[in-house]
């Protein structure tokens, strides 16, 4: 075969396990009937009737926009009001004080991750995250001629592994001039883990200590895609206050997604927010990421930005959307509580779940377990470290007994 594409593109191909598993589940439902299939694959909220959730207030505002607001371009960095109000949506009452911040509109949370990997790493550098992670992190790194490595996220007692994190940071800073560390919290994908305020403080101490020891900058990339469905809206945001008074060689980029918080998955709108005690660093952040936006997608969905603006400028609309989020969070919690209770009862070991769309079962035989589950018309996602269960898409009656099905499948394959 004649290779037409550039050398950097040769051999690239994505077989996304999540969407492939979802396609299999959809096909099974068509063949055997929806009531006979459990689809725990895709990361979007389905209600108790197994219908995709769109928050009613979001739907009302979005459909009520005039056509010129839907069809028109937005500025490359984003609508000015959006760039301010998306920070309010992200931080809530806990916007860090004494720091400079700026926002850039992105194509979902994923777009912000893309920009951070491109602009805060050098070609050939290696980014760092826990060994339970959203696989797209690695795809973005590799597409941009960068690498991704992991540390063991949990110790043997399933507590956050600070020693493993610090050792890996030392290893990387000894070899490269800067480091990008990705931390997905709260409502971590794929485990449902959320780091506590105390543990987050310990992570920041590690970053400060190692950045100072090596004299090299560290960028902390906080992926907060699931924050709006991870608990009380104030409690889950308190940790942002710890970003105050960080040294200037620790830069924070926060990636917020309207995909989850506004249930507007396919509209692909979000923002990346830069935080630093150094004004020049934040000015540079706004400029270089605007440049990368122009070179990547040009500009972002105007209608979605206007939807957020409309809601956050109207106290009644904001109160309504927060009530709707609370209702669906409660629905997710009921599912998680039932699964956790039954997992404990049948002896199914799982990663500690706090909140979010997913739960995970550690096993080195995830593919075998998922294949065995398919025989029972149960569809989950096989990851390198274990099995991901998307409780966001499974109604409560189907949650009942699911943990036992997974435990039985694990026993059958010797996992």
């Amino acid at each position: 075969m004649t290779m037409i594409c550039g050398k950097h593109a040769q051999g690239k191909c994505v077989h996304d396990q999540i969407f492939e598993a979802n396609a299999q589940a959809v096909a099974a439902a068509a063949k055997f009937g929806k009531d006979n299939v459990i689809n725990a694959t895709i990361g979007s909220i389905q209600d108790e009737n197994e219908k995709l959730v769109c928050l009613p207030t979001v739907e009302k505002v979005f459909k009520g926009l005039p056509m010129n607001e839907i069809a028109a371009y937005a500025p490359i960095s984003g609508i000015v009001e959006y760039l301010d109000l998306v920070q309010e949506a992200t931080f809530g009452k806990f916007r860090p004080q004494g720091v400079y911040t700026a926002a850039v509109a992105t194509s979902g949370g994923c777009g912000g991750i893309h920009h951070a990997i491109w602009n805060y790493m050098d070609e050939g550098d290696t980014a760092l995250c826990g060994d339970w992670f959203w696989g797209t992190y690695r795809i973005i790194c590799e597409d941009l001629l960068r690498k991704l490595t992991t540390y063991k996220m949990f110790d043997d007692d399933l507590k956050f592994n600070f020693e493993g994190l610090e050792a890996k940071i030392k290893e990387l800073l000894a070899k490269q001039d800067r480091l990008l560390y990705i931390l997905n919290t709260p409502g971590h994908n794929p485990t449902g883990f959320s780091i506590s305020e105390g543990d987050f403080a310990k992570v920041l101490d590690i970053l400060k200590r190692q950045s100072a020891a090596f004299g090299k900058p560290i960028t902390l990339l906080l992926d907060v895609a699931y924050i709006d469905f991870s608990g009380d809206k104030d409690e889950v945001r308190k940790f942002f206050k710890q970003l105050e008074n960080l040294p200037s060689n620790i830069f924070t980029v926060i990636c917020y997604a309207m995909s989850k918080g506004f249930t507007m998955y396919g509209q692909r709108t979000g923002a990346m927010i830069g935080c630093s005690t150094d004004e020049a660093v934040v000015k540079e952040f706004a400029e270089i990421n605007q440049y990368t936006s122009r070179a990547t997608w040009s500009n972002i969905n105007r209608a979605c930005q206007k939807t957020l603006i409309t809601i956050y400028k109207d106290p009644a609309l904001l109160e309504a959307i927060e009530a709707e989020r609370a209702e669906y969070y409660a629905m997710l919690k009921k599912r998680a509580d039932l699964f956790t209770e039954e997992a404990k009862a049948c002896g199914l070991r799982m990663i500690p779940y706090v909140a979010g769309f997913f739960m995970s079962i550690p096993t080195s035989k995830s593919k075998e377990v998922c294949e065995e589950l398919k025989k029972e018309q149960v569809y989950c996602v096989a990851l390198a470290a274990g099995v991901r269960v998307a409780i966001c898409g499974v109604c409560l009656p189907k949650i009942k007994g699911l943990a036992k099905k997974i435990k039985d499948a694990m026993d059958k394959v010797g996992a």
Side-chain angles (χ1 to χ4, degrees):
M1 173 183 171
T2 302
M3 300 302 293
I4 303 297
C5 64
K7 291 181 180 179
H8 71 282
Q10 292 175 10
K12 289 181 179 178
C13 181
V14 174
H15 296 287
D16 191 287
Q17 293 188 63
I18 298 170
F19 285 95
E20 287 181 0
N22 179 60
Q24 292 172 4
V26 170
K31 181 177 180 180
F32 300 107
K34 185 175 70 172
D35 293 342
N36 299 311
V37 174
I38 297 176
N39 184 352
T41 64
I42 205 76
S44 55
I45 301 176
Q46 313 285 317
D47 64 19
E48 288 302 291
N49 294 313
E50 299 182 291
K51 300 291 186 183
L52 180 68
V53 167
C54 179
L55 299 177
T57 298
V58 170
E59 181 176 358
K60 172 186 173 184
V61 172
F62 184 75
K63 288 183 175 179
L65 292 172
M67 192 61 201
N68 66 301
E69 291 289 9
I70 295 173
Y73 285 123
I76 295 168
S77 287
I79 301 171
V80 173
E81 282 184 296
Y82 175 78
L83 299 180
D84 178 48
L85 292 171
V86 77
Q87 294 188 59
E88 181 181 330
T90 302
F91 293 125
K93 298 177 182 177
F94 300 95
R95 189 165 182 162
Q97 301 300 304
V99 299
Y100 299 94
T101 66
V104 175
T106 59
S107 178
C110 185
I113 295 162
H114 170 276
H115 281 20
I117 289 170
W118 177 246
N119 285 320
Y120 294 96
M121 298 176 66
D122 290 327
E123 184 174 326
D125 275 359
T126 301
L128 178 64
C129 70
D131 58 348
W132 289 92
F133 66 97
W134 184 41
T136 303
Y137 296 157
R138 187 183 301 281
I139 293 171
I140 296 172
C141 285
E142 292 178 352
D143 192 51
L144 299 177
L145 306 182
R146 283 122 174 90
K147 302 171 187 174
L148 180 73
T149 192
T150 64
Y151 62 97
K152 188 179 178 184
M153 188 169 167
F154 301 100
D155 61 23
D156 293 339
D157 296 321
L158 296 179
K159 305 292 185 183
F160 192 87
N161 183 14
F162 299 104
E163 291 183 5
L165 170 63
E166 188 155 20
K168 205 68 179 181
I169 289 175
K170 287 181 180 179
E171 176 187 324
L172 291 171
L173 285 178
K175 298 186 292 186
Q176 55 193 51
D177 293 333
R178 54 186 47 79
L179 175 65
L180 179 74
Y181 169 49
I182 306 172
L183 180 61
N184 177 203
T185 191
H188 174 266
N189 176 6
T191 67
F193 175 79
S194 296
I195 197 165
S196 69
E197 287 186 74
D199 284 356
F200 185 64
K202 292 178 183 178
V203 167
L204 292 181
D205 285 342
I206 290 171
L207 300 186
K208 288 185 285 187
R209 184 163 58 245
Q210 294 308 320
S211 179
F214 284 91
K216 296 177 180 179
I218 296 177
T219 298
L220 170 62
L221 174 55
L222 289 172
D223 180 355
V224 300
Y226 298 90
I227 194 167
D228 287 318
F229 290 101
S230 289
D232 178 82
K233 63 184 176 68
D234 292 332
E235 288 297 319
V236 299
R237 287 172 164 81
K238 284 183 177 179
F239 78 103
F240 285 131
K241 295 292 285 182
Q242 295 187 45
L243 301 178
E244 297 173 355
N245 303 316
L246 288 176
S248 59
N249 56 352
I250 305 292
F251 181 52
T252 305
V253 176
I254 302 164
C255 291
Y256 177 82
M258 288 185 70
S259 309
K260 306 301 188 296
F262 284 73
T263 60
M264 301 188 82
Y265 311 100
Q267 295 301 309
R268 309 311 306 136
T269 306
M272 60 190 307
I273 301 167
C275 305
S276 176
T277 51
D278 187 333
E279 185 177 14
V281 171
V282 173
K283 183 175 185 292
E284 176 188 67
F285 163 86
E287 291 174 346
I288 64 175
N289 286 296
Q290 179 195 41
Y291 189 95
T292 302
S293 293
R294 186 55 162 158
T296 309
W297 50 63
S298 187
N299 51 24
I300 294 300
N301 186 319
R302 183 182 185 90
C304 209
Q305 293 180 63
K306 289 297 291 188
T307 297
L308 184 145
I309 291 168
T310 302
I311 290 170
Y312 272 82
K313 288 179 69 176
D314 186 324
L317 290 175
L318 182 56
E319 183 179 356
I321 195 175
E322 288 178 345
E324 290 159 9
R325 286 172 177 162
E327 177 185 347
Y328 285 111
Y329 166 71
M331 182 186 75
L332 294 176
K333 188 175 186 305
K334 283 183 181 179
R335 296 174 183 179
D337 288 348
L338 178 58
F339 186 94
T340 302
E341 177 187 333
E342 293 192 344
K344 184 177 181 180
C346 71
L348 179 65
R349 189 168 184 260
M350 55 183 285
I351 299 298
Y353 174 88
V354 178
F357 285 24
F358 310 104
M359 309 179 98
S360 285
I361 315 302
T363 174
S364 61
K365 294 187 175 183
S366 60
K367 290 183 179 179
E368 294 91 331
V369 172
C370 286
E371 288 302 314
E372 188 65 31
L373 285 168
K374 289 175 187 177
K375 297 175 183 178
E376 301 295 322
Q377 303 307 324
V378 176
Y379 293 81
C380 299
V381 175
L383 305 174
V387 175
R388 189 187 84 167
V389 182
I391 60 165
C392 58
V394 183
C395 61
L396 193 63
K398 289 185 179 181
I399 290 287
K400 187 168 182 60
L402 179 56
K404 182 64 164 56
K405 290 178 187 291
I406 296 173
K407 180 64 165 61
D408 289 346
M410 293 182 70
D411 289 344
K412 285 181 181 177
V413 302

